[in-house]
Amino acid sequence: MPNVRLALAQTNPTVGAIQANLAQILEQVVLAKQVGADILVFGEMALTGYPIEDLASRESFILEAELAVKALASKVVELGYEDLAVVIGHPAMANVQEQTGWAIAKNCASVIRGGEVIGTYAKHHLPNYSVFDEYRNFVPGNELLTFEHKGLKFSTVICEDIWQEGGPVSKLADAKTDVALILNGSPFEIDKDDKRLSLVKNLVQRQDCAAAYVNLVGGQDDLVFDGDSIVIDSKGRLIARAKQFKSDLVFIDIAAKDDMAVVGEHHLTKPNDNWQAWNALVLGLRDYIQKNGFKSVVLGLSGGIDSAVCATIAADAIGPENVFGVSMPSRYSSTGSKDDAEDLASRRGINYRIQAIENLVSPFESALDLTGLPAENLQARVRGVILMALSNKEGHLTLTTGNKSELAVGYSTIYGDSVGGYAPLKDVEKSLVWELAKWRNDYARSRNEVEPIPVSSIEKPPSAELRPDQVDQDSLPPYDVLDAILESYINQRKSRADLVLLGFDQAIIEKVLTLVDRAEWKRRQGAIGPKITGMAFGRDRRLPITNKYKG
Amino acid sequence: MPNVRLALAQTNPTVGAIQANLAQILEQVVLAKQVGADILVFGEMALTGYPIEDLASRESFILEAELAVKALASKVVELGYEDLAVVIGHPAMANVQEQTGWAIAKNCASVIRGGEVIGTYAKHHLPNYSVFDEYRNFVPGNELLTFEHKGLKFSTVICEDIWQEGGPVSKLADAKTDVALILNGSPFEIDKDDKRLSLVKNLVQRQDCAAAYVNLVGGQDDLVFDGDSIVIDSKGRLIARAKQFKSDLVFIDIAAKDDMAVVGEHHLTKPNDNWQAWNALVLGLRDYIQKNGFKSVVLGLSGGIDSAVCATIAADAIGPENVFGVSMPSRYSSTGSKDDAEDLASRRGINYRIQAIENLVSPFESALDLTGLPAENLQARVRGVILMALSNKEGHLTLTTGNKSELAVGYSTIYGDSVGGYAPLKDVEKSLVWELAKWRNDYARSRNEVEPIPVSSIEKPPSAELRPDQVDQDSLPPYDVLDAILESYINQRKSRADLVLLGFDQAIIEKVLTLVDRAEWKRRQGAIGPKITGMAFGRDRRLPITNKYKG
């Protein structure tokens, strides 16, 4: 009876940093071997990072990745690990006659052993919906790769291959696979983890094999890979679950496809949805900052809930000493707001300064004779100029604090409060901002830490404070109604007629949908931010700006 | 021997405006019938506009389009045109079992006659490269549609079907097709017209049939459809060519596939590349303005070449009386620049005002203690605030005047000179800006009109004038070198090593490529603008912001 030690390496690669990712992979090889691994599996495109987008159509990039795979094969043997099998995700050139459109490459998993690449699998099902453009970037493969190692049969497939019917994954049983090795670059969405688990369970039952599902971890632009790699035996039992939102290396001893055991202490459950959403936001921001060479962030602190939550996410991501908050009160800012901003900063020890805008705003007002909405936008734009000046002068990444509900209806000033390179709350609707704020305070309390978010920021009515006594609900329906309409219109793609049937008020429907459509040009110019739902603004939802459809 | 009058209707639909497009189509039906047409063919998706992007995944939208096709069939008969065949491009629902990913619809051409839809063709080759996402949005069809009308056999195919091998287009000869009706939504690129012509010639020779190639016309966000519909007989002779950049209705009398004649006066040649590029820019801007409900534009006039060309394009598009230029001199603006700005405005009668920025800039400088680059960016941002305030106050669309070379290397201030909803020169590299400026002046001279662009704007060294005696070439290589490097790196996807082989200086390569990669976050937040080359920034080139690749 075989006893094979399988290791799952859940790494956090950086897109394009092939040599740095290779070094990271080799570190994992050494660590895995120290714990006696016989076979070590990485995630999809662990060598290049994922998604590589149109880098896939640059020949020099694909060739460098292919060379790095060969270098890895040599290195493993040089380290003395002749009998270690390593399965690594990477792009490779497609045959010339297979190339279509702009796609010159395949999305591959190679098996390395004894200094050689003993086989390469090419992903068959190329997702081309939601945030994915794989038909644009890759040529599909069509053959299962099965190999024997230490008495067990392993087969490799990649991510979407298990989300669709047919293709190589349907041949796992015929190939007498003991363990399917599934390489993934599967971005986080609230609740998606359970979908993955049930998909893999379904697969092992259909194909009568065990499965090791290895995901990437880390932020890449608007995507957050959450890790949460899993191992399931051929009876459908969950054997192991890697950490979520952290790099991890998990070991499994395999006697047979239905006789597997995790090595060491281990948890099979994971925390609640709010914990997950929060950690996705923190990881997305941290990796954007670090992978793009920033050390600190600057953001406006209005005393409101959005900037309070953004600042807290930032403090969790890179430490409060690297977060620079700026209060920019105007003649319309209430004392309460100014106090709340200062309170927020002091609770975590965030850097804090005050820059009043009156003396910067009034010269514009007189020069251009501005009143009403143009004057409101002016205030927001003067604040934008201040934040960008501080960013330019001090080297901070600017965060923009708008939430998904605001972005949906365009309740923001373009080039004003929207300035910044990253939008932590881009995919967090207002209702969830409140929920997460309360959750984060509860979490602090449960750990005997100071609650980071002032209660009055959570409880007071939201206001842009751009004119006297303004509150958001002067211009918008209550956020619970707004968020419910947005969920139907944006996420569910419902029509006006559908929304009427759902019981929403016709005038409110018309108002909200018109605002959403009109704000498309602003969203197009907005900062990226981490996707945490099934339908995020950005590449997940691609609509024309010029669009007269009113259905 | 049959004598069939075929009409090609080159219309300018608006995306989403199904009822307005239907009305436009019916107008063409009446006009065509008045000239005795037997069969009338429209462009790809003429009913809904093109591309519809993710509107394709909204069921209500597709159903409304299907109803409109039926309404068209009834209307044609109500008008008394029982024997008129109409071929119309539109989306339709795919069968549930065919639906994949997010795609629920097909990209169709329906043949309408006698009040009924007598057949529907679904596009087979779905382009999913460059600006196209058709695999995301559509399910492919696989069957040729051939029908007989007045003694001739017609077959329908759609756009990309003739750009690829195989599929229904390879069955035209077997189906004994006399005339292939090709419905297109083919965006303008400099030189693309010749590609279309040779493709269609190639097709008629391979399949031994004549071909009527009907393109859309008009601007849709970043695409400009240039019309230029063509008819070619089975011997490969060009029989007719519709207008470029204008709606048109062209009639052909067909006795046989190799015996066709255009009705009325007609030109088979078209103007030079500069005329085409200029008209593409004018049409793209005009349609963006009109289809989005604007009446006027505002832009900064610096006295430089970019703003001069943008203002002239705008004046050509919507008349100088609807163009509002603003000179915003700083302490660093030369007298020459101020004069050139005023000269530019007066040559065409563009609205002109001066708003000096010194009194708006200095309060920020003192409050935030800004010098150096942050102070340079500040000036650009104060100008951005002014333009957006005027846009908000007076209702103009703001134009941003940056050219493709600047966008490539990030030689602009985000939220400063980059503010605006539309960027006329987004896909025009600096070398071409100069060429077009000279061409436009020549063109005016040839028509005995005042040259719109001041010669000194064309001839002086380009400068951002953000510090004393600054010129662009302090920071950038000469524009001819820069544009050549950008052509290789961006359009041809060459590597650093390739560029060295091409003979460029290594230090300059490194500098330019680093600037291009670093500017990705800025480009992501930039305004849309008309694509006129084979590789435009925007959805044509999708690269990660977080990207460490240096090859």
mmCIF file of all heavy atoms in Angstrom, chain B residues 504-543:
data_model
loop_
_atom_site.group_PDB
_atom_site.id
_atom_site.type_symbol
_atom_site.label_atom_id
_atom_site.label_comp_id
_atom_site.label_asym_id
_atom_site.label_seq_id
_atom_site.Cartn_x
_atom_site.Cartn_y
_atom_site.Cartn_z
ATOM 1 N N PHE B 504 17.403 51.074 -31.072
ATOM 2 C CA PHE B 504 17.143 52.175 -30.143
ATOM 3 C C PHE B 504 18.155 52.149 -29.001
ATOM 4 O O PHE B 504 18.668 51.087 -28.635
ATOM 5 C CB PHE B 504 15.720 52.075 -29.571
ATOM 6 C CG PHE B 504 14.642 52.266 -30.597
ATOM 7 C CD1 PHE B 504 13.910 51.186 -31.066
ATOM 8 C CD2 PHE B 504 14.372 53.524 -31.118
ATOM 9 C CE1 PHE B 504 12.920 51.352 -32.026
ATOM 10 C CE2 PHE B 504 13.390 53.699 -32.066
ATOM 11 C CZ PHE B 504 12.664 52.611 -32.528
ATOM 12 N N ASP B 505 18.404 53.308 -28.442
ATOM 13 C CA ASP B 505 19.327 53.440 -27.319
ATOM 14 C C ASP B 505 18.770 52.751 -26.069
ATOM 15 O O ASP B 505 17.606 52.956 -25.709
ATOM 16 C CB ASP B 505 19.542 54.937 -27.032
ATOM 17 C CG ASP B 505 20.441 55.160 -25.846
ATOM 18 O OD1 ASP B 505 21.664 55.123 -26.033
ATOM 19 O OD2 ASP B 505 19.905 55.348 -24.722
ATOM 20 N N GLN B 506 19.609 51.969 -25.433
ATOM 21 C CA GLN B 506 19.141 51.132 -24.320
ATOM 22 C C GLN B 506 18.570 51.949 -23.157
ATOM 23 O O GLN B 506 17.543 51.594 -22.576
ATOM 24 C CB GLN B 506 20.296 50.260 -23.824
ATOM 25 C CG GLN B 506 19.832 49.058 -23.020
ATOM 26 C CD GLN B 506 20.672 47.815 -23.307
ATOM 27 O OE1 GLN B 506 21.715 47.875 -23.955
ATOM 28 N NE2 GLN B 506 20.208 46.675 -22.821
ATOM 29 N N ALA B 507 19.254 53.056 -22.841
ATOM 30 C CA ALA B 507 18.788 53.885 -21.724
ATOM 31 C C ALA B 507 17.433 54.521 -22.058
ATOM 32 O O ALA B 507 16.554 54.622 -21.189
ATOM 33 C CB ALA B 507 19.817 54.962 -21.418
ATOM 34 N N ILE B 508 17.268 54.917 -23.307
ATOM 35 C CA ILE B 508 15.996 55.525 -23.703
ATOM 36 C C ILE B 508 14.879 54.482 -23.697
ATOM 37 O O ILE B 508 13.765 54.744 -23.225
ATOM 38 C CB ILE B 508 16.124 56.178 -25.101
ATOM 39 C CG1 ILE B 508 17.094 57.381 -25.006
ATOM 40 C CG2 ILE B 508 14.765 56.627 -25.627
ATOM 41 C CD1 ILE B 508 17.327 58.087 -26.317
ATOM 42 N N ILE B 509 15.188 53.285 -24.189
ATOM 43 C CA ILE B 509 14.204 52.190 -24.143
ATOM 44 C C ILE B 509 13.733 51.979 -22.707
ATOM 45 O O ILE B 509 12.536 51.938 -22.420
ATOM 46 C CB ILE B 509 14.822 50.865 -24.660
ATOM 47 C CG1 ILE B 509 15.199 50.969 -26.139
ATOM 48 C CG2 ILE B 509 13.859 49.701 -24.436
ATOM 49 C CD1 ILE B 509 16.030 49.784 -26.643
ATOM 50 N N GLU B 510 14.712 51.854 -21.803
ATOM 51 C CA GLU B 510 14.382 51.560 -20.416
ATOM 52 C C GLU B 510 13.513 52.666 -19.827
ATOM 53 O O GLU B 510 12.498 52.402 -19.165
ATOM 54 C CB GLU B 510 15.678 51.425 -19.598
ATOM 55 C CG GLU B 510 15.477 50.860 -18.208
ATOM 56 C CD GLU B 510 14.710 49.554 -18.205
ATOM 57 O OE1 GLU B 510 14.947 48.695 -19.076
ATOM 58 O OE2 GLU B 510 13.833 49.410 -17.316
ATOM 59 N N LYS B 511 13.881 53.899 -20.126
ATOM 60 C CA LYS B 511 13.131 55.028 -19.594
ATOM 61 C C LYS B 511 11.697 55.032 -20.120
ATOM 62 O O LYS B 511 10.732 55.151 -19.352
ATOM 63 C CB LYS B 511 13.835 56.330 -20.005
ATOM 64 C CG LYS B 511 13.071 57.545 -19.574
ATOM 65 C CD LYS B 511 13.826 58.824 -19.846
ATOM 66 C CE LYS B 511 12.985 59.968 -19.317
ATOM 67 N NZ LYS B 511 13.728 61.211 -19.263
ATOM 68 N N VAL B 512 11.554 54.884 -21.432
ATOM 69 C CA VAL B 512 10.221 54.960 -22.037
ATOM 70 C C VAL B 512 9.339 53.809 -21.570
ATOM 71 O O VAL B 512 8.187 54.013 -21.168
ATOM 72 C CB VAL B 512 10.330 54.977 -23.580
ATOM 73 C CG1 VAL B 512 8.953 54.842 -24.213
ATOM 74 C CG2 VAL B 512 11.009 56.257 -24.052
ATOM 75 N N LEU B 513 9.892 52.592 -21.581
ATOM 76 C CA LEU B 513 9.056 51.439 -21.224
ATOM 77 C C LEU B 513 8.643 51.490 -19.753
ATOM 78 O O LEU B 513 7.524 51.121 -19.400
ATOM 79 C CB LEU B 513 9.783 50.128 -21.550
ATOM 80 C CG LEU B 513 9.540 49.601 -22.981
ATOM 81 C CD1 LEU B 513 9.852 50.640 -24.040
ATOM 82 C CD2 LEU B 513 10.277 48.319 -23.235
ATOM 83 N N THR B 514 9.551 51.971 -18.910
ATOM 84 C CA THR B 514 9.203 52.115 -17.494
ATOM 85 C C THR B 514 8.078 53.136 -17.327
ATOM 86 O O THR B 514 7.123 52.909 -16.575
ATOM 87 C CB THR B 514 10.446 52.530 -16.679
ATOM 88 O OG1 THR B 514 11.453 51.529 -16.868
ATOM 89 C CG2 THR B 514 10.124 52.652 -15.202
ATOM 90 N N LEU B 515 8.179 54.233 -18.043
ATOM 91 C CA LEU B 515 7.115 55.246 -17.980
ATOM 92 C C LEU B 515 5.784 54.675 -18.459
ATOM 93 O O LEU B 515 4.735 54.900 -17.849
ATOM 94 C CB LEU B 515 7.491 56.463 -18.836
ATOM 95 C CG LEU B 515 8.605 57.376 -18.306
ATOM 96 C CD1 LEU B 515 8.984 58.419 -19.355
ATOM 97 C CD2 LEU B 515 8.179 58.058 -17.002
ATOM 98 N N VAL B 516 5.818 53.926 -19.555
ATOM 99 C CA VAL B 516 4.572 53.353 -20.099
ATOM 100 C C VAL B 516 3.924 52.427 -19.070
ATOM 101 O O VAL B 516 2.723 52.530 -18.788
ATOM 102 C CB VAL B 516 4.840 52.570 -21.405
ATOM 103 C CG1 VAL B 516 3.595 51.792 -21.835
ATOM 104 C CG2 VAL B 516 5.282 53.516 -22.522
ATOM 105 N N ASP B 517 4.721 51.538 -18.490
ATOM 106 C CA ASP B 517 4.155 50.572 -17.544
ATOM 107 C C ASP B 517 3.608 51.282 -16.300
ATOM 108 O O ASP B 517 2.543 50.927 -15.800
ATOM 109 C CB ASP B 517 5.211 49.536 -17.138
ATOM 110 C CG ASP B 517 5.591 48.634 -18.305
ATOM 111 O OD1 ASP B 517 4.876 48.645 -19.330
ATOM 112 O OD2 ASP B 517 6.601 47.912 -18.197
ATOM 113 N N ARG B 518 4.347 52.287 -15.827
ATOM 114 C CA ARG B 518 3.936 52.992 -14.609
ATOM 115 C C ARG B 518 2.669 53.815 -14.799
ATOM 116 O O ARG B 518 1.995 54.145 -13.832
ATOM 117 C CB ARG B 518 5.043 53.949 -14.181
ATOM 118 C CG ARG B 518 5.964 53.344 -13.181
ATOM 119 C CD ARG B 518 6.521 54.464 -12.302
ATOM 120 N NE ARG B 518 7.942 54.287 -12.125
ATOM 121 C CZ ARG B 518 8.840 55.254 -12.284
ATOM 122 N NH1 ARG B 518 8.458 56.476 -12.640
ATOM 123 N NH2 ARG B 518 10.107 55.011 -12.096
ATOM 124 N N ALA B 519 2.388 54.190 -16.035
ATOM 125 C CA ALA B 519 1.232 55.058 -16.291
ATOM 126 C C ALA B 519 -0.070 54.277 -16.444
ATOM 127 O O ALA B 519 -1.121 54.870 -16.680
ATOM 128 C CB ALA B 519 1.485 55.914 -17.530
ATOM 129 N N GLU B 520 0.005 52.942 -16.292
ATOM 130 C CA GLU B 520 -1.211 52.153 -16.531
ATOM 131 C C GLU B 520 -2.354 52.608 -15.616
ATOM 132 O O GLU B 520 -3.512 52.683 -16.032
ATOM 133 C CB GLU B 520 -0.916 50.663 -16.339
ATOM 134 C CG GLU B 520 -2.077 49.732 -16.673
ATOM 135 C CD GLU B 520 -2.606 49.878 -18.086
ATOM 136 O OE1 GLU B 520 -1.834 50.190 -19.014
ATOM 137 O OE2 GLU B 520 -3.834 49.702 -18.273
ATOM 138 N N TRP B 521 -2.055 52.915 -14.359
ATOM 139 C CA TRP B 521 -3.143 53.312 -13.434
ATOM 140 C C TRP B 521 -3.802 54.615 -13.874
ATOM 141 O O TRP B 521 -5.016 54.781 -13.724
ATOM 142 C CB TRP B 521 -2.642 53.379 -11.995
ATOM 143 C CG TRP B 521 -1.946 54.648 -11.602
ATOM 144 C CD1 TRP B 521 -0.641 54.956 -11.802
ATOM 145 C CD2 TRP B 521 -2.531 55.779 -10.935
ATOM 146 N NE1 TRP B 521 -0.377 56.211 -11.304
ATOM 147 C CE2 TRP B 521 -1.510 56.743 -10.772
ATOM 148 C CE3 TRP B 521 -3.820 56.080 -10.472
ATOM 149 C CZ2 TRP B 521 -1.730 57.976 -10.149
ATOM 150 C CZ3 TRP B 521 -4.039 57.310 -9.850
ATOM 151 C CH2 TRP B 521 -3.009 58.234 -9.695
ATOM 152 N N LYS B 522 -3.003 55.505 -14.449
ATOM 153 C CA LYS B 522 -3.577 56.763 -14.933
ATOM 154 C C LYS B 522 -4.455 56.518 -16.153
ATOM 155 O O LYS B 522 -5.534 57.089 -16.274
ATOM 156 C CB LYS B 522 -2.456 57.713 -15.363
ATOM 157 C CG LYS B 522 -1.733 58.416 -14.257
ATOM 158 C CD LYS B 522 -0.981 59.607 -14.909
ATOM 159 C CE LYS B 522 0.243 59.992 -14.180
ATOM 160 N NZ LYS B 522 0.969 61.089 -14.863
ATOM 161 N N ARG B 523 -3.936 55.688 -17.073
ATOM 162 C CA ARG B 523 -4.734 55.419 -18.288
ATOM 163 C C ARG B 523 -6.070 54.795 -17.931
ATOM 164 O O ARG B 523 -7.084 55.053 -18.563
ATOM 165 C CB ARG B 523 -3.964 54.495 -19.233
ATOM 166 C CG ARG B 523 -2.926 55.219 -20.069
ATOM 167 C CD ARG B 523 -2.398 54.333 -21.162
ATOM 168 N NE ARG B 523 -1.651 53.209 -20.642
ATOM 169 C CZ ARG B 523 -0.357 53.213 -20.348
ATOM 170 N NH1 ARG B 523 0.366 54.296 -20.558
ATOM 171 N NH2 ARG B 523 0.233 52.133 -19.869
ATOM 172 N N ARG B 524 -6.060 53.931 -16.904
ATOM 173 C CA ARG B 524 -7.283 53.249 -16.487
ATOM 174 C C ARG B 524 -8.353 54.257 -16.075
ATOM 175 O O ARG B 524 -9.537 53.991 -16.182
ATOM 176 C CB ARG B 524 -6.937 52.343 -15.333
ATOM 177 C CG ARG B 524 -7.612 51.038 -15.261
ATOM 178 C CD ARG B 524 -7.480 50.184 -16.478
ATOM 179 N NE ARG B 524 -6.506 49.151 -16.290
ATOM 180 C CZ ARG B 524 -6.658 48.117 -15.475
ATOM 181 N NH1 ARG B 524 -7.801 47.957 -14.816
ATOM 182 N NH2 ARG B 524 -5.721 47.232 -15.349
ATOM 183 N N GLN B 525 -7.926 55.418 -15.579
ATOM 184 C CA GLN B 525 -8.883 56.438 -15.138
ATOM 185 C C GLN B 525 -9.086 57.533 -16.182
ATOM 186 O O GLN B 525 -9.680 58.566 -15.888
ATOM 187 C CB GLN B 525 -8.429 57.046 -13.804
ATOM 188 C CG GLN B 525 -8.407 56.034 -12.660
ATOM 189 C CD GLN B 525 -8.200 56.677 -11.285
ATOM 190 O OE1 GLN B 525 -8.607 57.796 -11.046
ATOM 191 N NE2 GLN B 525 -7.584 55.940 -10.386
ATOM 192 N N GLY B 526 -8.580 57.300 -17.384
ATOM 193 C CA GLY B 526 -8.676 58.334 -18.407
ATOM 194 C C GLY B 526 -9.998 58.313 -19.149
ATOM 195 O O GLY B 526 -10.741 57.335 -19.128
ATOM 196 N N ALA B 527 -10.286 59.427 -19.821
ATOM 197 C CA ALA B 527 -11.495 59.526 -20.641
ATOM 198 C C ALA B 527 -11.390 58.595 -21.840
ATOM 199 O O ALA B 527 -10.298 58.225 -22.260
ATOM 200 C CB ALA B 527 -11.665 60.963 -21.125
ATOM 201 N N ILE B 528 -12.536 58.229 -22.383
ATOM 202 C CA ILE B 528 -12.525 57.486 -23.637
ATOM 203 C C ILE B 528 -12.246 58.449 -24.789
ATOM 204 O O ILE B 528 -12.411 59.666 -24.657
ATOM 205 C CB ILE B 528 -13.850 56.741 -23.897
ATOM 206 C CG1 ILE B 528 -15.022 57.717 -23.992
ATOM 207 C CG2 ILE B 528 -14.099 55.710 -22.837
ATOM 208 C CD1 ILE B 528 -16.266 57.100 -24.568
ATOM 209 N N GLY B 529 -11.821 57.888 -25.908
ATOM 210 C CA GLY B 529 -11.570 58.676 -27.109
ATOM 211 C C GLY B 529 -11.578 57.744 -28.298
ATOM 212 O O GLY B 529 -11.496 56.514 -28.125
ATOM 213 N N PRO B 530 -11.676 58.302 -29.512
ATOM 214 C CA PRO B 530 -11.897 57.461 -30.690
ATOM 215 C C PRO B 530 -10.669 56.664 -31.119
ATOM 216 O O PRO B 530 -9.599 57.228 -31.320
ATOM 217 C CB PRO B 530 -12.275 58.477 -31.770
ATOM 218 C CG PRO B 530 -11.654 59.761 -31.333
ATOM 219 C CD PRO B 530 -11.659 59.735 -29.830
ATOM 220 N N LYS B 531 -10.856 55.378 -31.278
ATOM 221 C CA LYS B 531 -9.815 54.480 -31.801
ATOM 222 C C LYS B 531 -9.665 54.709 -33.300
ATOM 223 O O LYS B 531 -10.646 54.601 -34.043
ATOM 224 C CB LYS B 531 -10.230 53.041 -31.532
ATOM 225 C CG LYS B 531 -9.395 51.969 -32.241
ATOM 226 C CD LYS B 531 -9.965 50.577 -31.918
ATOM 227 C CE LYS B 531 -9.454 49.503 -32.868
ATOM 228 N NZ LYS B 531 -8.094 49.043 -32.568
ATOM 229 N N ILE B 532 -8.432 55.000 -33.730
ATOM 230 C CA ILE B 532 -8.201 55.122 -35.179
ATOM 231 C C ILE B 532 -6.997 54.304 -35.631
ATOM 232 O O ILE B 532 -6.646 54.327 -36.805
ATOM 233 C CB ILE B 532 -7.996 56.595 -35.620
ATOM 234 C CG1 ILE B 532 -6.756 57.202 -34.964
ATOM 235 C CG2 ILE B 532 -9.227 57.436 -35.317
ATOM 236 C CD1 ILE B 532 -6.292 58.490 -35.655
ATOM 237 N N THR B 533 -6.363 53.582 -34.694
ATOM 238 C CA THR B 533 -5.228 52.729 -35.080
ATOM 239 C C THR B 533 -5.532 51.273 -34.717
ATOM 240 O O THR B 533 -6.548 50.972 -34.087
ATOM 241 C CB THR B 533 -3.933 53.132 -34.335
ATOM 242 O OG1 THR B 533 -4.028 52.695 -32.973
ATOM 243 C CG2 THR B 533 -3.709 54.634 -34.378
ATOM 244 N N GLY B 534 -4.604 50.407 -35.078
ATOM 245 C CA GLY B 534 -4.774 48.991 -34.781
ATOM 246 C C GLY B 534 -4.618 48.655 -33.313
ATOM 247 O O GLY B 534 -4.946 47.536 -32.892
ATOM 248 N N MET B 535 -4.112 49.594 -32.516
ATOM 249 C CA MET B 535 -3.947 49.341 -31.079
ATOM 250 C C MET B 535 -4.139 50.622 -30.298
ATOM 251 O O MET B 535 -3.234 51.454 -30.183
ATOM 252 C CB MET B 535 -2.544 48.761 -30.809
ATOM 253 C CG MET B 535 -2.247 48.513 -29.353
ATOM 254 S SD MET B 535 -3.221 47.213 -28.602
ATOM 255 C CE MET B 535 -2.191 45.786 -29.029
ATOM 256 N N ALA B 536 -5.348 50.795 -29.794
ATOM 257 C CA ALA B 536 -5.679 51.988 -29.023
ATOM 258 C C ALA B 536 -5.596 51.658 -27.537
ATOM 259 O O ALA B 536 -5.792 50.518 -27.137
ATOM 260 C CB ALA B 536 -7.085 52.452 -29.374
ATOM 261 N N PHE B 537 -5.314 52.652 -26.711
ATOM 262 C CA PHE B 537 -5.435 52.421 -25.273
ATOM 263 C C PHE B 537 -6.909 52.259 -24.929
ATOM 264 O O PHE B 537 -7.775 52.870 -25.553
ATOM 265 C CB PHE B 537 -4.834 53.585 -24.484
ATOM 266 C CG PHE B 537 -3.336 53.648 -24.589
ATOM 267 C CD1 PHE B 537 -2.697 54.768 -25.074
ATOM 268 C CD2 PHE B 537 -2.569 52.558 -24.206
ATOM 269 C CE1 PHE B 537 -1.313 54.823 -25.167
ATOM 270 C CE2 PHE B 537 -1.179 52.597 -24.303
ATOM 271 C CZ PHE B 537 -0.556 53.733 -24.791
ATOM 272 N N GLY B 538 -7.181 51.456 -23.914
ATOM 273 C CA GLY B 538 -8.562 51.202 -23.537
ATOM 274 C C GLY B 538 -8.827 49.715 -23.678
ATOM 275 O O GLY B 538 -7.970 48.897 -23.352
ATOM 276 N N ARG B 539 -9.989 49.366 -24.222
ATOM 277 C CA ARG B 539 -10.317 47.927 -24.225
ATOM 278 C C ARG B 539 -9.540 47.149 -25.276
ATOM 279 O O ARG B 539 -9.639 45.927 -25.348
ATOM 280 C CB ARG B 539 -11.816 47.706 -24.381
ATOM 281 C CG ARG B 539 -12.410 48.337 -25.592
ATOM 282 C CD ARG B 539 -13.922 48.067 -25.642
ATOM 283 N NE ARG B 539 -14.570 49.150 -26.348
ATOM 284 C CZ ARG B 539 -15.855 49.162 -26.657
ATOM 285 N NH1 ARG B 539 -16.625 48.153 -26.314
ATOM 286 N NH2 ARG B 539 -16.370 50.176 -27.288
ATOM 287 N N ASP B 540 -8.753 47.875 -26.075
ATOM 288 C CA ASP B 540 -7.911 47.240 -27.080
ATOM 289 C C ASP B 540 -6.644 46.652 -26.455
ATOM 290 O O ASP B 540 -6.008 45.776 -27.036
ATOM 291 C CB ASP B 540 -7.491 48.326 -28.075
ATOM 292 C CG ASP B 540 -7.405 47.807 -29.490
ATOM 293 O OD1 ASP B 540 -7.643 46.610 -29.700
ATOM 294 O OD2 ASP B 540 -7.105 48.608 -30.383
ATOM 295 N N ARG B 541 -6.254 47.172 -25.309
ATOM 296 C CA ARG B 541 -4.986 46.802 -24.674
ATOM 297 C C ARG B 541 -5.256 46.682 -23.187
ATOM 298 O O ARG B 541 -5.387 47.676 -22.487
ATOM 299 C CB ARG B 541 -3.949 47.905 -24.925
ATOM 300 C CG ARG B 541 -2.561 47.607 -24.366
ATOM 301 C CD ARG B 541 -1.580 48.694 -24.779
ATOM 302 N NE ARG B 541 -0.221 48.380 -24.363
ATOM 303 C CZ ARG B 541 0.342 48.798 -23.230
ATOM 304 N NH1 ARG B 541 -0.347 49.533 -22.377
ATOM 305 N NH2 ARG B 541 1.595 48.483 -22.953
ATOM 306 N N ARG B 542 -5.348 45.448 -22.710
ATOM 307 C CA ARG B 542 -5.790 45.213 -21.334
ATOM 308 C C ARG B 542 -4.644 44.640 -20.539
ATOM 309 O O ARG B 542 -4.336 43.462 -20.644
ATOM 310 C CB ARG B 542 -6.974 44.245 -21.340
ATOM 311 C CG ARG B 542 -8.107 44.743 -22.202
ATOM 312 C CD ARG B 542 -9.308 43.817 -22.227
ATOM 313 N NE ARG B 542 -10.218 44.222 -23.279
ATOM 314 C CZ ARG B 542 -11.306 43.554 -23.633
ATOM 315 N NH1 ARG B 542 -11.613 42.414 -23.018
ATOM 316 N NH2 ARG B 542 -12.073 43.995 -24.604
ATOM 317 N N LEU B 543 -4.029 45.482 -19.746
ATOM 318 C CA LEU B 543 -2.891 45.024 -18.966
ATOM 319 C C LEU B 543 -3.146 45.290 -17.500
ATOM 320 O O LEU B 543 -3.864 46.219 -17.134
ATOM 321 C CB LEU B 543 -1.626 45.753 -19.428
ATOM 322 C CG LEU B 543 -1.086 45.230 -20.770
ATOM 323 C CD1 LEU B 543 0.030 46.095 -21.290
ATOM 324 C CD2 LEU B 543 -0.595 43.790 -20.619
#
